[in-house]
Amino acid sequence: MVRSALLGASRSERLRHTAERIPLTRKVVARYVAGTEQSDAVRVAGELAGEGLAVTIDHLGEPTHDRAHATRIAQTYVALLEALGKAELTPDVEVSVTLSAVGQTLPADGAAIALENAQQICQAAADAGTTVTLDMEDHTTTDATLGILRDLRADFPSVGAVLQAQLKRTESDCRDLAYEGSRVRLCKGAYDEPETVAFRDRGEVDRSYVRCMKVLFAGAGYPMIATHDARLVEIAGSLAARHRREQGSYEYQMLYGLRSREQVRLVRAGERVRVYVPYGPEWYAYLVRRLADRPANLAFLLRSVASSK
């Protein structure tokens, strides 16, 4: 119930505007978001790469309501990739793209617009010497996102996909995507999904996560294990050993600002770790939604909001 309430808060315009005006929240934001500008993202990516960490960068923008805005978001990614290339960071840094930001949810031609913009971003990534991972949104977009993934992989086979263990369909999707060259980021899921399509109990989600990991590690693809759960990290290591996976044939992924010491520990143990780094002006929804499983941090943010009224 608490998680559902927090996810609801992530959609509240009133809470967002209030939070943005409170100086106290800046400390919280600075810990989990690189900044609002492209230069902030490049700087943080460089710092993390210097510690031996790989990076994926996500631009946090406002919801896309028209084609022109979707095009601007695509151009923002192209400019970011060019900047990363000039900084010689692309061997270790990729980008994550949410398809709704580049037009997927627009009426009539949304899928075609998103595909066109995603192709432009993928080409810029290829030119810079890196790649793209398509973020997954709520369950109503899963089929459309996987359809665009298939189209993109025809020309850009290294494009990554994200699957959410909380969805009941995901184990089957893992089987479909566990082929050679396929990159799959497995996460628990950050959306408040109905019981008809998703596991609601935390234990059920964890068990689904393990089943999905088993499929991915047994397959020929490249698993990207996105979790901060120490037990799941340990299970992933055991599965890698069982399937005689060499280090570098899979990776761990964690959010910027969370479990930084664990990220470094894994790198020192020879593992590949990628940090998910968000930047941009629209940080509020990301912060509340992505940190819904971190009550202490969210309580601090929400107390700041409440005390300002």
Side-chain angles (χ1 to χ4, degrees):
M1 292 178 64
V2 173
R3 183 171 183 270
S4 295
L6 290 170
L7 290 172
S10 73
R11 298 185 291 271
S12 169
E13 286 296 308
R14 180 176 59 83
L15 287 175
R16 180 178 70 86
H17 289 307
T18 301
E20 288 175 343
R21 294 195 302 268
I22 302 172
L24 189 57
T25 62
R26 292 173 186 168
K27 292 182 180 179
V28 180
V29 177
R31 178 175 175 179
Y32 304 112
V33 179
T36 60
E37 304 298 329
Q38 173 185 289
S39 58
D40 298 320
V42 174
R43 172 182 52 80
V44 169
E47 292 170 354
L48 293 170
E51 296 178 11
L53 294 156
V55 176
T56 185
I57 300 178
D58 178 25
H59 176 262
L60 305 175
E62 63 188 56
T64 298
H65 299 296
D66 56 57
R67 184 165 189 163
H69 186 269
T71 299
R72 287 196 297 275
I73 295 298
Q75 292 170 344
T76 296
Y77 271 102
V78 170
L80 171 63
L81 287 159
E82 291 174 349
L84 291 170
K86 290 179 181 178
E88 300 182 347
L89 291 173
T90 49
D92 298 306
V93 184
E94 59 151 48
V95 297
S96 289
V97 176
T98 303
L99 288 177
S100 65
V102 293
Q104 186 181 46
T105 56
L106 296 178
D109 297 327
I113 293 169
L115 175 59
E116 179 182 344
N117 284 325
Q119 287 171 328
Q120 181 182 6
I121 296 169
C122 289
Q123 185 60 63
D127 292 342
T130 188
T131 189
V132 174
T133 295
L134 300 183
D135 274 325
M136 191 64 74
E137 300 177 77
D138 70 79
H139 77 279
T140 64
T141 68
T142 302
D143 285 327
T145 298
L146 293 179
I148 289 176
L149 173 73
R150 285 191 293 271
D151 291 338
L152 289 172
R153 282 185 171 174
D155 296 313
F156 307 99
S158 65
V159 174
V162 176
L163 296 177
Q164 302 174 92
Q166 72 173 8
L167 296 183
K168 295 176 180 179
R169 62 175 287 171
T170 296
E171 187 176 353
S172 175
D173 288 332
C174 284
R175 292 193 184 95
D176 292 340
L177 293 175
Y179 54 82
E180 187 172 358
S182 175
R183 298 168 60 250
V184 177
R185 177 194 299 159
L186 179 66
C187 65
K188 289 188 179 182
Y191 293 89
D192 191 18
E193 302 282 17
E195 189 174 4
T196 53
V197 300
F199 300 110
R200 301 283 296 182
D201 178 77
R202 286 179 180 269
E204 288 183 327
V205 174
D206 286 352
R207 288 188 287 275
S208 172
Y209 198 103
V210 173
R211 292 194 300 272
C212 292
M213 280 200 295
K214 288 180 178 179
V215 172
L216 294 175
F217 276 105
Y222 182 81
M224 301 184 288
I225 306 305
T227 182
H228 303 99
D229 189 321
R231 187 170 58 89
L232 293 178
V233 169
E234 182 179 357
I235 292 172
S238 296
L239 289 171
R242 180 187 306 173
H243 293 285
R244 298 181 179 179
R245 288 263 188 171
E246 294 184 358
Q247 290 178 319
S249 68
Y250 60 93
E251 68 182 43
Y252 296 99
Q253 296 194 355
M254 297 183 185
L255 298 175
Y256 179 60
L258 292 182
R259 301 204 72 195
S260 299
R261 290 182 181 178
E262 175 66 1
Q263 294 169 18
V264 173
R265 184 193 72 79
L266 288 168
V267 167
R268 289 176 177 171
E271 300 288 3
R272 185 163 177 79
V273 180
R274 190 175 302 276
V275 182
Y276 188 98
V277 175
Y279 85 100
E282 298 295 319
W283 53 264
Y284 172 78
Y286 167 85
L287 186 62
V288 178
R289 188 173 67 247
R290 295 293 184 176
L291 302 182
D293 291 326
R294 306 280 297 183
N297 294 327
L298 282 172
F300 177 76
L301 174 62
L302 295 177
R303 281 198 302 269
S304 299
V305 174
S307 66
S308 70
K309 295 178 181 179

